[in-house]
Amino acid sequence: MNSSHAHLLERYQRLIEISQDLTSTLDLDVLLRRIVRAAADLSDAEQASILLYDQVKQELYFEATTSADQQGLQGLSVPLEGSIAGWIVTNCQPLIIADTTKDSRHFDYIGKVTHTKTFSLLGVPLINKDKVVGALEAINKSSGEFDLEDQEILASLGAQAALAIENARLFQQSDFIAELVHELRTPLASLNTATHLLMRPDLPESQRTHITEMIRGEIFRLSDLASSFLDLARLESGRAQYHKTSVEPAKLITDCADLMRPRVAENGLTLNLDVAESLPIIQADEDKIMQVMINLISNAIKYNQPGGSISVTARAEPQALVISVSDTGQGISPEGLASLFQRFYRVPGAEKLATGTGLGLSICKRIVEAHQGMIEAQSELGKGTTFRFRLPIV
């Protein structure tokens, strides 16, 4: 056997080992990291990336890469027209490009984000049961040029990867749906009891009005739960897209505060802003960061004390923008703080103060972490709670 055939056999043996490794996990994040590492290894490339395709929105976005700037790329939207990955997904064909600088389809914005120059590229579509899942790309061959043998190996990995990604998504979805069904039981049971009571002819009118109001409240809660569930499902399944632009933090915070002031006043509270002058511009998805801000201020309103206050502060550290939202509510125990960002978790006793889905903070955490940031909570019983999140300054 000549050295060429021996090398090819060795690569296929490695591919079999990797395929077995891919089937050993149903954790989507872990799975995607394994796939891109395997793609770079098998194709002898400097880096590799996975871009997933959202068929509903017809958008393509980065989901995993071996680049050091993994967090900076995650969720970044890539145009279907005007990108090599878009061409691969649209045409369902593999592609080898020896010199990307001479190809008009090359989307060079990614190189600016990662500070990596792409010279050569090999890409294959990820297809499972005739459905395009996304594209797998390897860039910058370590020596020589990408060839048909590389393409064949990467295509084989891509077929295994597409199946593993869909299996992980289905498992994640079924697990999440089981939790949702569990959460639906309580409001549905309440609605069932309420409708039976309303059918009683001897029910006093005052009770009838009270029950009708309760039904309306439960319907609103179910509506919120459905919206939050879909939101978090997109974030957790890796199907959320981030459209990052240059954002002025001071304006964003002021806009959110102005939006919430009517609710603050309605609840007899005060809202104080302490935003430093000349905050640095950040690269972020403005709508999603506003979603985080509004959720935190909304919680501060719902769980505050009568006549209490809410404080929003923003400061710039050497490498991060730090935003805090504090309330003067009843506070959270250390046990409650430990579980605060878990989905569907509600602090014991919180349901007496306000209705909620238990998903808002999970959504905030996902959004902040997708921006390479972190979010935390500090609290003291009887004195209030502070939520603080950090976003990197580019």
Side-chain angles (χ1 to χ4, degrees):
M1 184 184 294
N2 62 39
S3 60
S4 175
H5 282 111
H7 178 61
L8 181 59
L9 192 61
E10 184 182 318
R11 293 174 81 183
Y12 269 105
Q13 183 62 43
R14 176 82 180 105
L15 178 63
I16 292 168
E17 292 169 5
I18 289 168
S19 298
Q20 292 170 340
D21 187 40
L22 296 185
T23 59
S24 69
T25 182
L26 287 167
D27 185 311
L28 187 60
D29 290 337
V30 171
L31 178 66
L32 293 172
R33 287 197 295 272
R34 287 181 182 177
I35 293 168
V36 291
R37 283 199 299 267
D41 179 27
L42 287 171
S43 57
D44 191 26
E46 182 184 329
Q47 290 181 15
S49 300
I50 283 178
L51 297 96
L52 296 182
Y53 178 54
D54 186 325
Q55 289 191 322
V56 176
K57 293 187 175 181
Q58 295 193 327
E59 289 184 354
L60 192 64
Y61 53 95
F62 267 93
E63 195 50 47
T65 175
T66 55
S67 166
D69 195 23
Q70 156 78 26
Q71 294 292 334
L73 283 177
Q74 192 171 29
L76 189 68
S77 182
V78 174
L80 272 181
E81 290 190 22
S83 73
I84 293 169
W87 187 94
I88 292 168
V89 165
T90 303
N91 292 276
C92 294
Q93 292 181 22
L95 196 62
I96 296 174
I97 299 176
D99 186 356
T100 57
T101 61
K102 295 178 180 177
D103 196 299
S104 60
R105 294 167 294 188
H106 180 50
F107 184 58
D108 62 357
Y109 176 73
I110 303 303
K112 293 173 184 176
V113 173
T114 60
H115 308 290
T116 302
K117 184 73 174 175
T118 301
F119 300 102
S120 58
L121 183 146
L122 164 61
V124 298
L126 298 175
I127 302 171
N128 181 50
K129 296 178 181 175
D130 297 325
K131 174 187 171 185
V132 182
V133 176
L136 177 62
E137 292 184 340
I139 67 166
N140 300 342
K141 181 84 169 174
S142 296
S143 60
E145 296 182 352
F146 290 117
D147 56 27
L148 291 177
E149 184 181 301
D150 294 320
Q151 179 179 301
E152 189 177 326
I153 290 286
L154 200 65
S156 297
L157 174 64
Q160 295 290 327
L163 176 61
I165 288 169
E166 287 299 281
N167 285 342
R169 278 175 164 175
L170 287 170
F171 175 79
Q172 196 172 49
Q173 195 174 49
S174 63
D175 183 45
F176 200 6
I177 287 172
E179 288 186 60
L180 176 68
V181 169
H182 177 73
E183 290 298 316
L184 288 174
R185 285 177 178 170
T186 302
L188 288 175
S190 298
L191 289 170
N192 186 43
T193 303
T195 51
H196 277 294
L197 286 171
L198 284 177
M199 291 171 70
R200 290 177 61 108
D202 59 341
L203 187 71
E205 193 59 35
S206 59
Q207 284 287 342
R208 192 177 299 277
T209 302
H210 174 73
I211 292 171
T212 303
E213 286 299 317
M214 186 273 287
I215 290 174
R216 185 201 283 182
E218 288 297 279
I219 289 170
F220 278 135
R221 184 181 165 205
L222 286 170
S223 178
D224 285 345
L225 187 61
S227 298
S228 297
F229 169 77
L230 290 172
D231 212 355
L232 187 58
R234 276 192 292 267
L235 291 166
E236 292 204 347
S237 67
R239 296 185 183 188
Q241 293 91 48
Y242 292 86
H243 302 280
K244 295 182 181 179
T245 58
S246 296
V247 176
E248 295 180 31
K251 183 178 183 306
L252 182 147
I253 294 167
T254 303
D255 288 347
C256 290
D258 289 344
L259 195 65
M260 300 302 288
R261 281 191 194 280
R263 274 188 61 194
V264 171
E266 187 180 302
N267 284 269
L269 306 170
T270 55
L271 176 59
N272 306 306
L273 290 187
D274 181 10
V275 180
E277 294 182 7
S278 305
L279 287 175
I281 300 293
I282 59 170
Q283 292 297 314
D285 185 314
E286 188 167 12
D287 289 340
K288 285 189 169 59
I289 298 302
M290 284 188 77
Q291 185 178 354
V292 172
M293 285 294 306
I294 288 169
N295 192 293
L296 295 181
I297 296 173
S298 179
N299 280 355
I301 294 171
K302 287 194 290 187
Y303 303 112
N304 220 315
Q305 302 278 21
S309 64
I310 300 163
S311 299
V312 178
T313 66
R315 294 282 183 274
E317 292 182 349
Q319 293 183 320
L321 171 72
V322 184
I323 301 173
S324 300
V325 178
S326 303
D327 65 51
T328 54
Q330 66 180 14
I332 302 166
S333 69
E335 296 78 20
L337 281 175
S339 305
L340 206 53
F341 293 98
Q342 291 178 11
R343 62 194 188 196
F344 295 115
Y345 178 78
R346 298 201 69 205
V347 175
E351 64 277 359
K352 296 175 185 176
L353 298 172
T355 58
T357 63
L359 294 175
L361 291 176
S362 299
I363 290 170
C364 289
K365 187 173 187 288
R366 279 279 176 176
I367 290 172
V368 170
E369 289 180 350
H371 282 79
Q372 314 111 65
M374 62 168 290
I375 186 169
E376 59 185 354
Q378 294 176 325
S379 188
E380 190 174 345
L381 286 172
K383 292 192 175 180
T385 304
T386 296
F387 286 92
R388 184 176 295 109
F389 66 98
R390 289 175 167 80
L391 298 173
I393 296 171
V394 180

